[in-house]
Amino acid sequence: MKAKLFVTDMDGTLLNSEHKISRGNKHAIKRAVEAGVVFTIATGRMYASTLPYAQELELDVPIITYNGALIKTASGKELYASYLEEDLVKDLLDFAREQELYIHLYSEDKLYFKENDEHAQYYQKMCGVPGNAVGEDIYKYTYHVPKMLIMGSTPEEADAAVELVRRKFGGRIDAMKSSPTYVELIKPGVNKATAIAKLAEILEIPSEQVLAIGDSSNDVSMLTSVAISVAMGNANDEARAAARYMVTDNEHDGVAEALERFCM
């Protein structure tokens, strides 16, 4: 059976190393949408960072952001939102300070960090959204926080941060890597899989016609939950193990290959 709902991760999947959508992927997406496929995005990025890509593709469908904590249409209609408790946000800020880790948060779809250091500068350049350096006033922005992000200087530092968070907070927070140095902090039970299930229900698309494609650890939940799961050629070991199928990497139009194989 061909996929009717095609859900793609962004970084390392839909986007190449220059954080752009290739001409080949754009062409395949346009053909698929014209053929009736519902094409959308599920990403760890904030909504403000994802929206320009949805607009570039001329999509007006619900997009999944913050690793599943927010589902919102490209035209701005919010369909679902889940936020961290304010006390937990403060505890995570304290933890990062104690461990001397870079951390930032998102409140009301705005980016906040203590200092505009090299981590903050890199992230702003990557996501295309300017952030706010607020020092200790970051504790004033603990409301409507869908997720937080720790950035390590090395993959090993990020791995260690995941283990530290899991030991310290247990079931209060889920910690997972979305890139070699990014550690996503999100509410337990909120992930791309649950968001895709909600979206498929909203769109009235049978579960057997849902496809997800990704490359990283924060994609594992959706890859293990959908009928058609695809890993990119550049995927890490966790994503590869979770997926049923494999396509080429994000430098060679893996998304276009998946559209051709499973939708067209």
Side-chain angles (χ1 to χ4, degrees):
M1 181 176 290
K2 297 294 184 181
K4 175 72 173 178
L5 174 59
F6 188 106
V7 185
T8 180
D9 170 55
M10 277 183 57
D11 295 286
T13 304
L14 176 62
L15 306 184
N16 59 24
S17 59
E18 296 179 343
H19 305 297
K20 295 180 179 179
I21 305 172
S22 70
R23 184 179 300 177
N25 279 343
K26 285 182 183 177
H27 178 68
I29 292 165
K30 183 178 180 180
R31 288 185 60 233
V33 171
E34 289 174 349
V37 175
V38 179
F39 182 93
T40 194
I41 294 165
T43 179
R45 288 197 189 207
M46 57 196 300
Y47 178 79
S49 176
T50 308
L51 183 59
Y53 293 99
Q55 292 172 332
E56 181 181 348
L57 295 171
E58 298 181 345
L59 303 179
D60 190 20
V61 296
I63 54 179
I64 296 166
T65 56
Y66 295 110
N67 272 328
L70 179 66
I71 305 175
K72 195 173 182 180
T73 66
S75 57
K77 182 180 179 181
E78 184 179 299
L79 302 179
Y80 171 79
S82 174
Y83 301 112
L84 299 175
E85 292 81 7
E86 291 193 36
D87 287 346
L88 177 57
V89 174
K90 293 174 182 176
D91 289 345
L92 288 164
L93 289 171
D94 289 342
F95 166 81
R97 179 169 54 190
E98 292 164 4
Q99 299 296 326
E100 297 183 346
L101 293 167
Y102 170 88
I103 192 169
H104 67 233
L105 57 78
Y106 314 83
S107 175
E108 301 285 334
D109 205 38
K110 293 182 175 62
L111 173 63
Y112 296 94
F113 38 76
K114 288 187 176 182
E115 299 178 7
N116 194 23
D117 62 12
E118 60 182 7
H119 290 304
Q121 290 170 22
Y122 174 83
Y123 188 84
Q124 291 169 91
K125 182 179 179 181
M126 183 280 297
C127 75
V129 175
N132 303 276
V134 293
E136 290 303 315
D137 282 347
I138 197 168
Y139 285 88
K140 295 180 180 178
Y141 300 96
T142 57
Y143 53 90
H144 283 186
V145 175
K147 76 160 194 174
M148 301 171 72
L149 184 76
I150 288 172
M151 290 176 65
S153 297
T154 65
E156 291 75 21
E157 185 177 303
D159 288 336
V162 170
E163 293 307 313
L164 283 170
V165 171
R166 288 174 177 173
R167 287 203 301 268
K168 174 76 173 181
F169 293 93
R172 294 180 68 197
I173 195 78
D174 275 347
M176 71 195 80
K177 292 177 70 176
S178 59
S179 84
T181 57
Y182 287 11
V183 179
E184 310 274 349
L185 305 173
I186 196 163
K187 195 172 186 177
V190 175
N191 52 51
K192 293 183 181 183
T194 56
I196 289 172
K198 291 179 187 296
L199 181 56
E201 182 179 357
I202 290 168
L203 299 175
E204 298 183 343
I205 295 176
S207 59
E208 61 268 21
Q209 290 184 279
V210 178
L211 178 151
I213 181 169
D215 74 302
S216 197
S217 301
N218 68 324
D219 298 319
V220 168
S221 67
M222 70 176 183
L223 293 175
T224 55
S225 69
V226 298
I228 308 169
S229 55
V230 186
M232 297 292 292
N234 53 289
N236 68 13
D237 291 342
E238 285 187 90
R240 286 171 181 261
R244 184 176 179 184
Y245 303 102
M246 182 82 67
V247 291
T248 189
D249 62 37
N250 64 321
E251 299 298 333
H252 298 90
D253 300 347
V255 166
E257 180 186 336
L259 284 165
E260 294 289 344
R261 286 175 59 182
F262 303 109
C263 298
M264 305 299 289

